[in-house]
Amino acid sequence: MGRVTVRRPVLRIAANGTRSRPDALAAEEPLEIRVDGSPLSVTMRTPGHDVELAHGFLLTEGVIHDREQLATARYCDSPGPDGRNTYNVLDIALAPGVQPPDSSVTRNFYTTSSCGVCGKAALDSVRLSTRHSPAADPLTVTADTLIGLPDQLRAAQRVFDTTGGLHAAGLFSGDGELLAVREDVGRHNAVDKVLGWALLAQRVPLSGCVLMVSGRASFELVQKAAMAGVPVLAAVSAPSSLAADLADEQGMTLIGFLRGQSMNVYTGAERIVTNDMTD
């Protein structure tokens, strides 16, 4: 398995002078995901939790909707310059009778760590339909519970403490219990990893749960949450206009700028319980 962090010498320049010192960087390596031996996608990711990443990717791309639809996951031989396996190729075998991915899922060469939608074979295929619609989810969550989530997520970001360069995604219960957290250089990868964890733990659909992300709420993150049946998506930064449109369309509660004692609720405000229910 590749390293999560890499040490590199840097020149530190500050008001009190300059000095050379080692610094820890978040590792970024390609992962090729294959399905039944055929290449499907290459994504730039932080090594670790690769099986969860692949499961979450296939779930959120609509290839599968249940853990039982996958048979095995194994690393293929992918030697690096030193002849050792880089563990950067993962082959997923579908269960008998499961249809292979549609050609529209295939990415054009690779997805960057910053944007998973880039390179979609067809733009029209971006908006996917979900088998786990969150629209009817009866979850309500208090504003006080939501306010406490960013600190919980931040406290669980162990690799971020070392590098300062990773996104995080955390799954919480409706009463604020942290269920799982994953980190990655790519925000979409962090979400795929945590949703893959949920799929492997047979928790999908994720009714009654809140997905918290450390950055902004993009269209793709809303789509991924909807594919897993997440009723509430919260972000510490802003959503995009298309993310808000999709959340509204899917019956999802979308929260942005969740910082300190405040937040903006863009869609699904009926799920949020506050002490002051005035508009």
Side-chain angles (χ1 to χ4, degrees), residues 6-7 15 23 43 46 67 78 82 120 161 164 178 206 243 253 276:
V6 176
R7 303 287 284 182
D23 191 31
T43 186
T46 299
R67 174 185 175 179
S78 51
D82 59 0
K120 274 281 193 179
D161 286 337
L178 179 60
L206 283 163
T253 299
D276 180 6

Side-chain angles (χ1 to χ4, degrees), residues 39-72:
L40 179 66
S41 174
V42 177
T43 186
M44 302 302 295
R45 98 301 189 194
T46 299
H49 303 290
D50 290 336
V51 173
E52 292 176 351
L53 171 58
H55 280 65
F57 176 79
L58 293 176
L59 169 69
T60 60
E61 291 292 337
V63 177
I64 61 169
H65 56 85
D66 185 87
R67 174 185 175 179
E68 303 306 317
Q69 292 183 294
L70 298 181
T72 61

Side-chain angles (χ1 to χ4, degrees), residues 164-180:
L166 289 179
H167 295 282
L171 273 176
F172 294 84
S173 67
D175 58 5
E177 177 189 359
L178 179 60
L179 304 175

Side-chain angles (χ1 to χ4, degrees):
M1 177 61 63
R3 292 172 291 176
V4 177
T5 62
V6 176
R7 303 287 284 182
R8 185 179 181 87
V10 300
L11 178 65
R12 172 70 172 174
I13 301 174
N16 59 353
T18 64
R19 64 188 179 95
S20 296
R21 69 172 194 182
D23 191 31
L25 301 179
E28 183 176 29
E29 297 182 9
L31 175 68
E32 178 180 323
I33 299 174
R34 298 177 181 175
V35 174
D36 291 332
S38 298
L40 179 66
S41 174
V42 177
T43 186
M44 302 302 295
R45 98 301 189 194
T46 299
H49 303 290
D50 290 336
V51 173
E52 292 176 351
L53 171 58
H55 280 65
F57 176 79
L58 293 176
L59 169 69
T60 60
E61 291 292 337
V63 177
I64 61 169
H65 56 85
D66 185 87
R67 174 185 175 179
E68 303 306 317
Q69 292 183 294
L70 298 181
T72 61
R74 65 178 183 86
Y75 287 102
C76 302
D77 186 34
S78 51
D82 59 0
R84 296 183 178 181
N85 196 343
T86 63
Y87 295 96
N88 284 341
V89 178
L90 187 68
D91 191 17
I92 304 293
L94 299 176
V98 178
Q99 291 296 313
D102 185 87
S103 60
S104 65
V105 176
T106 303
R107 309 286 183 160
N108 291 332
F109 185 55
Y110 75 96
T111 63
T112 70
S113 58
S114 61
C115 176
V117 167
C118 298
K120 274 281 193 179
L123 186 60
D124 289 343
S125 71
V126 169
R127 181 178 262 107
L128 302 176
S129 59
T130 176
R131 290 173 176 254
H132 308 300
S133 173
D137 195 306
L139 173 68
T140 59
V141 59
T142 68
D144 287 343
T145 295
L146 291 167
I147 285 169
L149 301 189
D151 286 345
Q152 285 196 68
L153 183 64
R154 178 65 184 83
Q157 290 183 253
R158 291 178 294 178
V159 183
F160 182 88
D161 286 337
T162 304
T163 66
L166 289 179
H167 295 282
L171 273 176
F172 294 84
S173 67
D175 58 5
E177 177 189 359
L178 179 60
L179 304 175
V181 63
R182 296 291 183 264
E183 296 178 276
D184 199 277
V185 287
R187 60 173 61 87
H188 64 285
N189 287 336
V191 170
D192 276 343
K193 286 180 178 181
V194 81
L195 296 182
W197 169 86
L199 185 73
L200 289 166
Q202 296 184 317
R203 287 176 172 263
V204 174
L206 283 163
S207 55
C209 290
V210 179
L211 176 62
M212 176 81 207
V213 295
S214 61
R216 62 186 176 86
S218 64
F219 169 87
E220 189 185 22
L221 298 195
V222 172
Q223 175 183 282
K224 288 179 179 296
M227 294 298 286
V230 175
V232 178
L233 173 62
V236 299
S237 192
S240 68
S241 61
L242 198 57
D245 289 345
L246 183 62
D248 193 38
E249 175 186 304
Q250 294 293 328
M252 184 187 302
T253 299
L254 178 63
I255 299 164
F257 295 106
L258 179 52
R259 307 171 184 173
Q261 298 295 308
S262 65
M263 69 192 80
N264 290 347
V265 182
Y266 294 87
T267 64
E270 67 278 1
R271 289 195 176 98
I272 312 303
V273 179
T274 68
N275 293 326
D276 180 6
M277 294 303 293
T278 59
D279 293 336

